[in-house]
Amino acid sequence: MFSLEALWTILSTKLPVFMEGVVVTIQLAAWTVVGGSLLGILVALLRLSHVRMLRVLSGAYIEFLRGTPMLVQVLIVYYGLPQLGVRLPRMTAGILALIINSGAYMAEIVRSGIQAIDVGQTEAARSLGMTQAQTMLHIILPQALKNILPAIGNEFVVIIKESSILYTIGIYELTYQANKLASTNFRYLETLTVSALIYFVLTFTTSKLLGLLERRMKRADR
Amino acid sequence: MQTVKKGEVLLSAKGLQKRFGTLDVLRGVDVDIHGGEVVVIIGPSGSGKSTFLRCLNLLETPTGGDIVFEGVSILGAGKGINKLRERMGMVFQQFNLFPHLSVLENVCIAPMKVKKTPRAKAEARAMELLARVGLSDKAKAYPSQLSGGQRQRVAIVRALAMDPDVMLFDEPTSALDPEMVGEVLDVMKRLAEDGMTMVVVTHEMGFAREVGDRVLFMDEGMIVEEGLPQELFGNPQNPRTQDFLRKVL
Ligand SMILES: Nc1ncnc2c1ncn2[C@@H]1O[C@H](COP(=O)(O)OP(=O)(O)O)[C@@H](O)[C@H]1O
Ligand SMILES: [Mg+2]
């Protein structure tokens, strides 16, 4: 039976344990959104390259990563790579797996952002003598990134939730801490509900903060 | 770098052709543009005027013929095209200012990134040019805070900041409210008086008459008739020219 009282006891006495997990979860999500964005920009540029081979490879990467379970990707990075002699610390492997996964989604976000910029911008830049790379760096990307900031924020929220998968490789993030606690107090329902509530507070406030930021940017937007 | 003296051929199209799929948009265009000359191109919509201008700086790749700029064929230029484009300014109907940059940054970015001009020098030059078009007080503004006429003046300044040898204008006043057309034409007129070589596609027949050294009438991808403004407007020879002028004048 679900006991509110047990839930309250867990919340009030074990909050520090959950908080340890929250810190790790936020670290995971922050690294991943930064790394994933950078990887996404790179892959998007390859995807839009004039070189067919690069387009094909980047396209395959995106399709493959989006078409396979994230859990399998995490397991491959953590348990598979050592077989190739690549032995990464737990945390590094976890973040790497998240970045590789998120990069595929980010690449599509960035690509659509780039493609949404009017071709007149490119023409104006090229007519001034800028190279293709200068045009991308100084004219197109800054505008595209600004436009996709809300989508990147969304991805951040998604990563906060999906990082819970890393409990399977023993990273001490929120889900791991909750699970561990539950296996000692046997109050699975209440303990995991607390972790769910904490996840919700994290994602909900993040969304609200991003929405606020977005509105403020729009207002500052001349 | 070779500089062309006033009166010598600066830019020429030789048998220029452009085809989009099965559509022949330019069907052999021959034009010589001389240093210091203002060439005005008129013609019905869809006749290939924009395509012609855009071929001149290779925003479109011609499918036939050649373009010679300052004595060099630019079709084989490869990556060298960026160097050539530096010396050809272009002004677009839709302005195409960079919305994420201030007016000053719009004007400075190409000199700084392309020519590696130091910021202080680029900004000083930009302020000088902005002053010339009466926009000194807008240097810190962003494009969306400007009127259409102001935007187009900034676009002209942005092109001028690269010190081009020729300026290409593609219907620079067509997207403007009528009351703003004059301020842009004035800037262009002064540019012409200062000796800038200009190729101007426009529907402003008054400007063509007053500022143009030569007027070309383009129809269906060819130069059908050309002449001095007073000749072409006063006494057009080709029936298609006559027909077009009857409609627009
Ligand atoms: N990128 C393009 N792809 C296909 N057709 C084009 C393209 N650009 C222009 N055209 C066609 O070429 C013709 C001439 O266009 P344009 O040069 O813009 O004429 P104008 O500037 O005289 O109005 C039009 O029929 C137009 O539809
Ligand atoms: Mg046109």
Side-chain angles (χ1 to χ4, degrees), chain B residues 134-151:
Chain B
L135 290 175
S136 303
D137 56 329
K138 297 292 181 190
K140 294 265 178 304
Y142 280 83
S144 61
Q145 297 169 316
L146 304 179
S147 71
Q150 291 170 332
R151 285 183 208 184

Side-chain angles (χ1 to χ4, degrees), chain A residues 36-71:
Chain A
S37 300
L38 293 176
L39 181 62
I41 291 171
L42 180 73
V43 175
L45 292 178
L46 296 179
R47 192 88 185 91
L48 296 170
S49 143
H50 291 302
V51 184
R52 197 183 131 79
M53 194 63 199
L54 297 177
R55 280 203 308 272
V56 170
L57 285 176
S58 53
Y61 166 78
I62 293 169
E63 292 305 327
F64 190 74
L65 269 287
R66 298 203 307 175
T68 53
M70 182 144 121
L71 179 56

Side-chain angles (χ1 to χ4, degrees), chain A residues 121 123 126 134 138 222, chain B residues 54 85 97 100 113 144:
Chain A
Q121 293 288 303
E123 295 185 344
R126 299 307 299 274
Q134 287 170 330
H138 301 299
R222 346 0 121 146
Chain B
R54 294 157 56 80
R85 285 206 189 105
L97 291 182
H100 63 303
K113 301 298 174 191
S144 61

Side-chain angles (χ1 to χ4, degrees), chain A residues 65-145:
Chain A
L65 269 287
R66 298 203 307 175
T68 53
M70 182 144 121
L71 179 56
V72 175
Q73 296 165 13
V74 168
L75 296 177
I76 288 177
V77 170
Y78 187 62
Y79 294 111
L81 285 188
Q83 207 176 315
L84 300 175
V86 184
R87 206 169 295 276
L88 298 172
R90 211 181 283 273
M91 192 70 178
T92 312
I95 290 172
L96 182 66
L98 290 183
I99 287 178
I100 290 174
N101 177 275
S102 175
Y105 289 90
M106 291 283 203
E108 288 296 272
I109 294 172
V110 174
R111 184 177 63 96
S112 68
I114 289 173
Q115 286 176 329
I117 304 295
D118 189 279
V119 299
Q121 293 288 303
T122 302
E123 295 185 344
R126 299 307 299 274
S127 79
L128 290 164
M130 288 195 205
T131 62
Q132 205 187 346
Q134 287 170 330
T135 302
M136 185 52 76
L137 186 64
H138 301 299
I139 306 302
I140 307 301
L141 266 185
Q143 296 184 56
L145 291 180

Side-chain angles (χ1 to χ4, degrees), chain A residues 135-211:
Chain A
T135 302
M136 185 52 76
L137 186 64
H138 301 299
I139 306 302
I140 307 301
L141 266 185
Q143 296 184 56
L145 291 180
K146 190 171 160 207
N147 293 345
I148 63 176
L149 225 46
I152 293 180
N154 237 6
E155 181 67 10
F156 184 60
V157 171
V158 170
I159 297 166
I160 290 177
K161 292 184 290 177
E162 295 200 328
S163 65
S164 66
I165 232 168
L166 295 185
Y167 103 94
T168 52
I169 60 169
I171 289 178
Y172 298 164
E173 45 70 68
L174 179 53
T175 303
Y176 182 95
Q177 298 288 21
N179 210 37
K180 195 175 77 175
L181 191 60
S183 65
T184 57
N185 66 12
F186 301 108
R187 285 282 180 186
Y188 279 94
L189 188 54
E190 293 83 354
T191 311
L192 291 172
T193 300
V194 170
S195 74
L197 287 174
I198 295 176
Y199 272 116
F200 181 72
V201 169
L202 281 182
T203 56
F204 188 77
T205 45
T206 307
S207 299
K208 287 289 152 207
L209 283 177
L210 288 169

